[in-house]
Amino acid sequence: MATSASSSLSKAVKQQYMDLPQGDQVQAMYVWIDGTGEGLRCKTRTLDSEPKTIDDLPEWNFDGSSTYQSEGSNSDMYLIPVAMFRDPFRKDPNKLVLCEVLKYNRKPAETNLRLPCKRIMGMVDNQHPWFGMEQEYTILGVDGHPYGWPSNGFPGPQGPYYCGVGADKAYGRDIVEAHYRACLYAGVQICGTNAEVMPAQWEFQVGPCEGINMGDHLWVARFILHRVCEDFGVVASFDPKPIPGNWNGAGCHTNFSTKEMREDDGLKFIEEAIEKLSKRHHYHIRAYDPKGGLDNARRLTGHHETSNINEFSAGVANRGASIRIPRAVGQDKKGYFEDRRPSANCDPYAVTEALIRTCLLSESGEEPEEYKN
């Protein structure tokens, strides 16, 4: 099992320095999405006092030619703080700062999907859209081999690992526990976790979050997971099908509701939304992974609790459907539905924006519509 060299450095020695007082000054780690639309980058600056709101945080910049976001001849990119969290690694009063990225001309970078998402969310805020996203991931060694798997073979077949207990069933629980507690400390709206069907695969859930907060909280939860794994010397992979063959892939099932859906007789509004989704399947498939559906094609095969990528389906309590209505929602005739199509490496801003466009703005074409400010 290959772990990183840096993970063997003495954490006790490091802690001597982390325990030193820092006076009134604060370390703010700025976090942003890079040009891949999947990777996260970060860097830290010193502030003279603890920021209380986003308005207390200055804009910053970075070299976009080193993050797949610009050419070297014109590489300055702007970091615009949009959400602030407590830093679970350096602890209070230090901060994690999620940022949008703007190009040299102050226009959004190609992978800044937050800006258009926020605009669309602002058009429907009176409907109070809630989201909950179930983030699956796989723990790998730095050599890309799944954590805990035999070096020259495979573990026993799937069956005992989902929500499993015991050293022969749960691979890497220390990472999961550390991540959960770090998210709670940071103020991320994490609401649960469990071991998944494939060994070394896990899931955490974030939500319910309203509007743009869904994307903000999921991206910060992902960042915290990457940092926790870094400390343990392993890698968190969001690849939707990390191991080919008879092993489950990794998705990011997205639960969605509006105020009307959550109230009495809301089931009719859920069914109306699903009818709209049925007519726009390919648009959603393109929005649900960063490669326009190519990543999800490896996962959405109609097997391993997935629907077929080329077909739309819906059903009550059906985990082989595109859209699942939970059994309790069907009985109570109100609540939410689950879109099972988004891939583990999806951009939550793209996913939530697509759901709003189709379900609430009633768009019907295969391309998103333009709206005047």
Side-chain angles (χ1 to χ4, degrees), residues 11-331:
K11 306 303 182 195
V13 171
K14 175 193 170 188
Q15 195 58 42
Q16 294 180 53
Y17 300 99
M18 299 306 290
D19 289 339
L20 292 172
Q22 60 187 78
D24 293 330
Q25 293 183 310
V26 170
Q27 291 172 282
M29 180 174 281
Y30 282 42
V31 179
W32 71 96
I33 302 161
D34 70 15
T36 66
E38 299 180 62
L40 287 162
R41 307 292 178 114
C42 64
K43 63 176 187 171
T44 301
R45 68 182 299 161
T46 303
L47 304 176
D48 290 333
S49 60
E50 182 179 358
K52 302 301 183 185
T53 70
I54 283 295
D55 295 334
D56 297 334
L57 294 162
E59 291 185 11
W60 207 7
N61 57 66
F62 68 96
D63 170 19
S65 68
S66 299
T67 61
Y68 315 114
Q69 287 171 296
S70 70
E71 297 178 359
S73 59
N74 196 2
S75 65
D76 275 3
M77 310 283 284
Y78 296 102
L79 292 172
I80 313 299
V82 292
M84 181 170 65
F85 297 81
R86 297 168 71 195
D87 187 337
F89 305 102
R90 293 166 172 154
K91 303 192 178 72
D92 289 339
N94 303 299
K95 305 298 180 186
L96 299 180
V97 181
L98 182 67
C99 299
E100 284 187 18
V101 176
L102 301 183
K103 296 189 282 191
Y104 70 94
N105 57 7
R106 308 289 295 187
K107 292 185 177 179
E110 283 72 12
T111 53
N112 178 359
L113 303 186
R114 186 185 189 276
L115 201 64
C117 179
K118 190 170 190 298
R119 188 165 63 91
I120 293 297
M121 292 296 173
M123 296 170 65
V124 298
D125 55 4
N126 62 325
Q127 298 189 54
H128 300 286
W130 288 4
F131 301 91
M133 299 185 79
E134 306 169 19
Q135 177 68 71
E136 294 180 334
Y137 63 96
T138 309
I139 302 173
L140 307 176
V142 291
D143 57 358
H145 194 69
Y147 179 80
W149 285 34
S151 57
N152 294 307
F154 297 92
Q158 295 181 157
Y161 309 107
Y162 172 71
C163 297
V165 178
D168 57 341
K169 299 179 184 69
Y171 298 12
R173 192 184 297 276
D174 284 355
I175 292 161
V176 176
E177 295 293 338
H179 172 252
Y180 201 150
R181 189 61 61 89
C183 283
L184 290 173
Y185 181 93
V188 170
Q189 286 180 248
I190 189 169
C191 61
T193 190
N194 59 270
E196 267 303 332
V197 177
M198 186 180 83
Q201 185 186 68
W202 295 81
E203 172 184 302
F204 63 89
Q205 302 94 30
V206 175
C209 296
E210 187 164 328
I212 198 67
N213 288 336
M214 183 68 255
D216 292 351
H217 282 247
L218 188 65
W219 274 115
V220 172
R222 287 174 172 178
F223 173 79
I224 291 172
L225 179 62
H226 285 308
R227 274 289 287 107
V228 167
C229 284
E230 182 184 321
D231 282 347
F232 282 98
V234 296
V235 175
S237 170
F238 298 117
D239 188 283
K241 188 71 174 178
I243 307 298
N246 196 26
W247 302 98
N248 273 36
C252 193
H253 302 158
T254 301
N255 302 281
F256 173 60
S257 70
T258 62
K259 187 173 184 291
E260 286 182 323
M261 295 177 191
R262 295 188 293 271
E263 293 176 343
D264 288 346
D265 295 320
L267 184 59
K268 69 178 181 180
F269 298 105
I270 293 173
E271 290 171 342
E272 287 174 6
I274 293 172
E275 177 64 21
K276 294 173 184 176
L277 289 167
S278 72
K279 298 173 180 176
R280 217 176 184 212
H281 178 61
H282 296 295
Y283 162 74
H284 283 265
I285 289 297
R286 289 202 309 275
Y288 283 1
D289 80 47
K291 296 183 177 65
L294 292 176
D295 275 348
N296 241 343
R298 295 183 282 124
R299 166 181 161 258
L300 296 179
T301 60
H303 304 289
H304 304 108
E305 299 182 47
T306 69
S307 57
N308 187 296
I309 194 170
N310 298 311
E311 300 169 359
F312 181 88
S313 57
V316 175
N318 184 355
R319 284 180 162 76
S322 309
I323 305 293
R324 180 181 72 93
I325 299 176
R327 177 83 61 199
V329 173
Q331 293 169 347

